[in-house]
Amino acid sequence: MQGYDASKDDLSIRLRRIEGQVRGIAQMVEQDRYCIDVLTQISAATKGLQSVALAMVDDHLRHCVADAVEKGGPGADQKLTEATAAVNCLLKT
Amino acid sequence: MQGYDASKDDLSIRLRRIEGQVRGIAQMVEQDRYCIDVLTQISAATKGLQSVALAMVDDHLRHCVADAVEKGGPGADQKLTEATAAVNCLLKT
Amino acid sequence: MQGYDASKDDLSIRLRRIEGQVRGIAQMVEQDRYCIDVLTQISAATKGLQSVALAMVDDHLRHCVADAVEKGGPGADQKLTEATAAVNCLLKT
Amino acid sequence: MQGYDASKDDLSIRLRRIEGQVRGIAQMVEQDRYCIDVLTQISAATKGLQSVALAMVDDHLRHCVADAVEKGGPGADQKLTEATAAVNCLLKT
């Protein structure tokens, strides 16, 4: 149980759409499309990924972290450390 | 002629790799993989896109902007405005 | 009690240092210093702010969120929503 | 002559305002203000810095880069490399 089952289908659909966007960007490059138009599409795909990441962080907090805090003990601390590390990782991209 | 021909193959290969990464992330979600592992992969794909974007900005400056500046006139100003807008767009993702 | 007392002095010192950095950047601009050098300093100050923000998110999770989750009820949900909103806010800067 | 004289006063005023914002954030921390409110202010100050950085990149392109491109030679290449490096630096913050 990974905790994000509820929204799994939604996340999967969004990622498949981003996959298609990136494939489209590769084709734009191969077709010599104007660089600014390519950049606009890269920006859209990046925003899509960030939005999925944020949904994952939210799920991690609501499920993994909240469950571990309720159980108490060192597990909670570990999940919180992971959550902060994940946010740090996202901020650096 | 869009000016990024020299590195077109390289950019195309990198984008095809990112496309594969995003497909892998969708599969991870579908397989209920641990959210922090998914976030790590999302961060890697996002960094890949940012790196391609930066290469595109560099190409835009070296070709579109430099050519337009050499020709002079309002074209140069337009290309410079586009370059700044593209950087702004990237900063906001 | 806001929960970040333990590290309050540390955060305060870091923010005072960033305040000094920004004052230094204003002076660099006033003294016509080279734009790339100014950009390097802006990047350093921005990284400093992001690092303080991450420490605040960590504190919010470890104190406000963890406390609310332990108490249970709608308070936990609200704190989690705030945490995700804060992360979203940071990602968009 | 650093090329950003025209907007120097404007940039200076904006940086002085950001300096004040960061001082206010330090005070908020010292007064135990709610972490989410502090994060909102950090996000605003970071956006302010990014906006000044973008104005500096724009000025660098319009003055340093455009001048060097018009003169031609290795100087143009160096200014373009600096511009890309600066954008890269901003993207990583």
Side-chain angles (χ1 to χ4, degrees):
Chain A
M1 261 284 292
Q2 293 309 325
Y4 55 92
D5 298 71
S7 55
K8 205 173 80 173
D9 288 351
D10 171 55
L11 289 176
S12 169
I13 288 165
R14 283 155 74 183
L15 284 162
R16 294 295 181 182
R17 197 180 303 137
I18 297 165
E19 182 196 338
Q21 280 182 298
V22 177
R23 184 163 46 246
I25 296 166
Q27 287 164 352
M28 287 176 84
V29 166
E30 287 151 19
Q31 293 161 4
D32 281 326
R33 295 278 293 279
Y34 185 48
C35 37
I36 298 295
D37 295 338
V38 179
L39 280 168
T40 305
Q41 290 306 309
I42 291 177
S43 175
T46 306
K47 269 182 192 143
L49 282 175
Q50 294 273 26
S51 159
V52 170
L54 190 71
M56 299 292 301
V57 167
D58 188 64
D59 272 333
H60 179 66
L61 293 178
R62 280 178 201 284
H63 299 279
C64 311
V65 171
D67 289 356
V69 167
E70 272 169 18
K71 276 185 206 153
D77 196 60
Q78 194 205 317
K79 294 295 176 194
L80 284 162
T81 300
E82 281 180 355
T84 305
V87 172
N88 190 22
C89 192
L90 290 177
L91 284 181
K92 291 211 169 129
T93 52
Chain B
M1 261 284 292
Q2 293 309 324
Y4 54 95
D5 298 70
S7 55
K8 206 173 81 171
D9 288 350
D10 172 56
L11 289 176
S12 168
I13 288 165
R14 284 155 73 184
L15 284 162
R16 293 295 181 182
R17 196 180 302 137
I18 297 165
E19 182 196 339
Q21 278 182 299
V22 177
R23 183 163 47 247
I25 297 166
Q27 287 163 353
M28 287 177 83
V29 166
E30 287 152 18
Q31 293 161 4
D32 282 326
R33 295 279 292 280
Y34 185 47
C35 36
I36 298 295
D37 295 337
V38 179
L39 279 168
T40 305
Q41 290 306 310
I42 291 177
S43 176
T46 306
K47 270 182 192 143
L49 282 176
Q50 293 274 27
S51 158
V52 170
L54 190 70
M56 300 291 301
V57 168
D58 189 63
D59 272 333
H60 179 67
L61 293 179
R62 280 179 201 284
H63 299 279
C64 310
V65 172
D67 289 356
V69 168
E70 273 169 17
K71 274 184 209 154
D77 195 61
Q78 194 205 319
K79 294 295 177 194
L80 284 162
T81 300
E82 281 180 356
T84 305
V87 172
N88 190 22
C89 193
L90 290 177
L91 285 180
K92 292 213 168 127
T93 53
Chain C
M1 260 283 293
Q2 293 309 325
Y4 54 94
D5 298 70
S7 55
K8 205 173 79 172
D9 288 351
D10 172 55
L11 290 176
S12 169
I13 289 166
R14 284 155 72 184
L15 284 162
R16 293 295 180 183
R17 196 180 303 137
I18 297 165
E19 182 196 340
Q21 280 182 298
V22 178
R23 183 163 47 247
I25 296 166
Q27 287 163 353
M28 287 177 83
V29 166
E30 287 152 19
Q31 294 160 4
D32 281 326
R33 294 279 293 279
Y34 185 47
C35 36
I36 297 295
D37 295 338
V38 178
L39 279 168
T40 305
Q41 291 305 309
I42 291 177
S43 177
T46 306
K47 269 182 191 143
L49 281 176
Q50 293 274 27
S51 159
V52 170
L54 190 70
M56 299 291 302
V57 167
D58 189 64
D59 271 333
H60 179 67
L61 293 178
R62 280 178 201 284
H63 299 279
C64 310
V65 172
D67 289 357
V69 167
E70 272 170 16
K71 274 185 208 155
D77 196 60
Q78 194 206 318
K79 295 295 178 196
L80 284 162
T81 300
E82 281 180 356
T84 305
V87 172
N88 190 23
C89 193
L90 289 177
L91 284 181
K92 293 214 167 125
T93 53
Chain D
M1 261 284 293
Q2 292 310 325
Y4 53 94
D5 298 70
S7 55
K8 205 172 80 172
D9 288 351
D10 171 55
L11 289 176
S12 169
I13 288 166
R14 284 155 74 183
L15 285 162
R16 294 295 182 183
R17 196 181 303 138
I18 297 165
E19 182 196 340
Q21 279 182 299
V22 178
R23 183 162 48 246
I25 296 167
Q27 288 163 353
M28 286 177 83
V29 167
E30 287 152 19
Q31 294 160 3
D32 281 326
R33 295 279 293 279
Y34 185 48
C35 36
I36 298 295
D37 295 337
V38 178
L39 280 167
T40 305
Q41 290 306 308
I42 291 177
S43 176
T46 306
K47 269 182 193 145
L49 282 175
Q50 294 273 26
S51 159
V52 170
L54 190 70
M56 300 290 302
V57 168
D58 189 64
D59 271 333
H60 179 67
L61 293 178
R62 280 178 201 285
H63 299 279
C64 310
V65 171
D67 289 356
V69 167
E70 273 169 17
K71 275 184 208 155
D77 196 60
Q78 193 205 319
K79 294 294 177 196
L80 283 162
T81 300
E82 281 180 356
T84 305
V87 172
N88 190 23
C89 192
L90 289 177
L91 284 181
K92 293 214 167 127
T93 52

